[in-house]
Amino acid sequence: MNPPKRLRTTDNEAEDRGAVDVSVVVPMYNASCWLDECLQAILHQDFTGTMELSVFDDASTDDSRNVVERWRERLEARGISVVVSGHNFAQPRGVGYAKNKAISQSCGHYFCFQDADDVMLPQRVRLQYEASTLHPNSLIGCKVQRVPEGSTERYTRWINTITQDQLITQVYTSHGPTVVMPTWFCSRNWYLKVGPFDEGGKGVPEDLLFFYQSLRQGTESETIWKLRVDFLQERVLNQWESFTIWNAGKQGRKLYRSLSPTNQKKVKAFCDVDDNKIQKGFYTYEESKQRPKPKIPVLHYKDASAPFIICVKLDMTGGVLEENLNSLQLKEGKDYYHFN
């Protein structure tokens, strides 16, 4: 059964809709000649989660709005809801303003930023969504192909060959953000923490300003995380022969990925109380360069063995976590440590 057609044109009405996994955010200004190819690519995404297209028209004088409306039925038949609005000012308000308005009317947990004159490959939303769920406090980018091939050759080569370390070390070059804006994907929470985009209009590099603010936020939180992990390894894990991570969810997996290779090998299992996680049987470390990739068992906490690193927030389970720990008759500081 196809979802009902929706027409939303105001910010407040976004609150009336159920949330979707991904909102494709498209600021639009006189883009009619590119939109068919852009929207067709959105239609052909192989992502199996829920999606919406959120378009804000920044005073276009061509038939861009009509082009989007012509695609509405095909997109909604595919399960992609369409949200379109705009303003009637005589002049465009700028890309930053249009992005903020497209976001304010959207209801996605994650944002895929799409320029109206760009085309995304079929796997883009799926792959970036998977990466963003693993790294929710990050801007996720990707490589690009230029059309026509060979245009802006040096810039394109830079985008596609930059290393993970160079994403930080080359932020001072004239190229602009090392994660280029047309490829951005991030969580709503990250946008709310970092944003909104600057609305200064023409001549204001709203993407660069947002990128720098992301670095400020990310550097602070990731630096603190790294310090905590390093101290845990120094004082506890380096003395243990093996241990179990209590939490097979995001925080537990993030801790595992942050450990040194030596301490990763000491992780004999994840444990949890969530049947869905336990039934999967294993956590596969997909980002590992090892072959075969490490697979760590996921067990019920009653079937796991100490010592434990507890990656569950204190006082957030209504006492259930504390009761479970007490039932195992464990001693804090010997059989387990909290890391949450």
Side-chain angles (χ1 to χ4, degrees), residues 157-303:
R157 183 167 58 249
W158 178 75
I159 293 171
N160 291 335
T161 60
I162 194 167
T163 67
Q164 187 69 32
D165 289 339
Q166 288 171 334
L167 291 176
I168 301 299
T169 61
Q170 295 195 9
V171 297
Y172 311 106
T173 72
S174 60
H175 286 313
T178 51
V179 181
V180 296
M181 174 64 209
T183 74
W184 283 5
F185 195 107
C186 72
S187 67
R188 177 181 290 272
N189 286 339
W190 187 245
Y191 167 83
L192 293 174
K193 184 176 182 179
V194 175
F197 289 101
D198 189 284
E199 298 184 357
K202 187 175 181 180
V204 174
E206 88 294 332
D207 56 343
L208 185 62
L209 294 173
F210 189 96
F211 182 70
Y212 283 165
Q213 185 61 16
S214 291
L215 288 177
R216 293 186 186 101
Q217 297 284 351
T219 300
E220 177 182 348
S221 60
E222 289 305 311
T223 297
I224 293 172
W225 172 270
K226 185 178 185 303
L227 289 171
R228 291 174 57 215
V229 172
D230 288 348
F231 196 59
L232 176 70
Q233 293 189 112
E234 174 192 329
R235 300 299 295 270
V236 179
L237 303 186
N238 289 347
Q239 282 69 54
W240 284 354
E241 293 184 0
S242 63
F243 61 97
T244 300
I245 295 177
W246 190 310
N247 187 347
K250 290 180 181 179
Q251 285 298 303
R253 298 194 303 266
K254 181 179 180 181
L255 172 61
Y256 173 84
R257 294 192 303 270
S258 301
L259 298 175
S260 68
T262 298
N263 283 326
Q264 284 180 346
K265 292 177 181 177
K266 295 180 182 180
V267 179
K268 52 190 174 183
F270 291 90
C271 73
D272 213 291
V273 296
D274 187 333
D275 288 337
N276 291 328
K277 296 186 179 76
I278 296 167
Q279 288 172 6
K280 291 180 180 179
F282 291 90
Y283 163 67
T284 303
Y285 183 23
E286 296 289 353
E287 297 170 333
S288 174
K289 296 180 180 179
Q290 294 183 42
R291 294 295 181 272
K293 296 178 180 179
K295 297 181 72 174
I296 299 90
V298 179
L299 309 173
H300 191 277
Y301 78 92
K302 291 183 179 179
D303 298 321

Side-chain angles (χ1 to χ4, degrees), residues 26-266:
V26 180
M28 183 174 69
Y29 174 70
N30 287 352
S32 61
C33 60
W34 299 292
L35 277 169
D36 283 329
E37 201 171 359
C38 173
L39 297 174
Q40 184 176 32
I42 294 172
L43 181 70
H44 290 158
Q45 290 299 295
D46 63 11
F47 179 62
T48 56
T50 52
M51 289 175 57
E52 74 171 356
L53 171 66
S54 181
V55 179
F56 187 83
D57 181 20
D58 191 21
S60 293
T61 56
D62 63 2
D63 65 342
S64 293
R65 289 280 287 272
N66 292 332
V67 174
V68 175
E69 290 299 336
R70 288 201 296 267
W71 278 88
R72 178 185 291 276
E73 186 171 354
R74 277 173 284 183
L75 289 163
E76 292 184 334
R78 166 72 168 72
I80 303 171
S81 55
V82 179
V83 189
V84 186
S85 68
H87 66 77
N88 296 316
F89 297 110
Q91 298 294 325
R93 300 285 298 273
V95 180
Y97 175 83
K99 287 174 184 171
N100 289 335
K101 297 297 283 186
I103 287 170
S104 69
Q105 70 188 12
S106 72
C107 59
H109 292 301
Y110 291 85
F111 299 137
C112 176
F113 291 92
Q114 175 72 12
D115 284 359
D117 60 348
D118 286 344
V119 177
M120 62 171 79
L121 295 177
Q123 66 271 32
R124 180 193 172 189
V125 171
R126 172 175 56 85
L127 293 177
Q128 290 193 303
Y129 176 79
E130 290 172 356
S132 197
T133 55
L134 291 174
H135 306 281
N137 295 325
S138 301
L139 280 177
I140 307 297
C142 62
K143 295 183 178 181
V144 302
Q145 297 175 3
R146 292 292 290 180
V147 180
E149 186 176 353
S151 58
T152 62
E153 183 176 357
R154 290 176 58 248
Y155 179 59
T156 303
R157 183 167 58 249
W158 178 75
I159 293 171
N160 291 335
T161 60
I162 194 167
T163 67
Q164 187 69 32
D165 289 339
Q166 288 171 334
L167 291 176
I168 301 299
T169 61
Q170 295 195 9
V171 297
Y172 311 106
T173 72
S174 60
H175 286 313
T178 51
V179 181
V180 296
M181 174 64 209
T183 74
W184 283 5
F185 195 107
C186 72
S187 67
R188 177 181 290 272
N189 286 339
W190 187 245
Y191 167 83
L192 293 174
K193 184 176 182 179
V194 175
F197 289 101
D198 189 284
E199 298 184 357
K202 187 175 181 180
V204 174
E206 88 294 332
D207 56 343
L208 185 62
L209 294 173
F210 189 96
F211 182 70
Y212 283 165
Q213 185 61 16
S214 291
L215 288 177
R216 293 186 186 101
Q217 297 284 351
T219 300
E220 177 182 348
S221 60
E222 289 305 311
T223 297
I224 293 172
W225 172 270
K226 185 178 185 303
L227 289 171
R228 291 174 57 215
V229 172
D230 288 348
F231 196 59
L232 176 70
Q233 293 189 112
E234 174 192 329
R235 300 299 295 270
V236 179
L237 303 186
N238 289 347
Q239 282 69 54
W240 284 354
E241 293 184 0
S242 63
F243 61 97
T244 300
I245 295 177
W246 190 310
N247 187 347
K250 290 180 181 179
Q251 285 298 303
R253 298 194 303 266
K254 181 179 180 181
L255 172 61
Y256 173 84
R257 294 192 303 270
S258 301
L259 298 175
S260 68
T262 298
N263 283 326
Q264 284 180 346
K265 292 177 181 177
K266 295 180 182 180

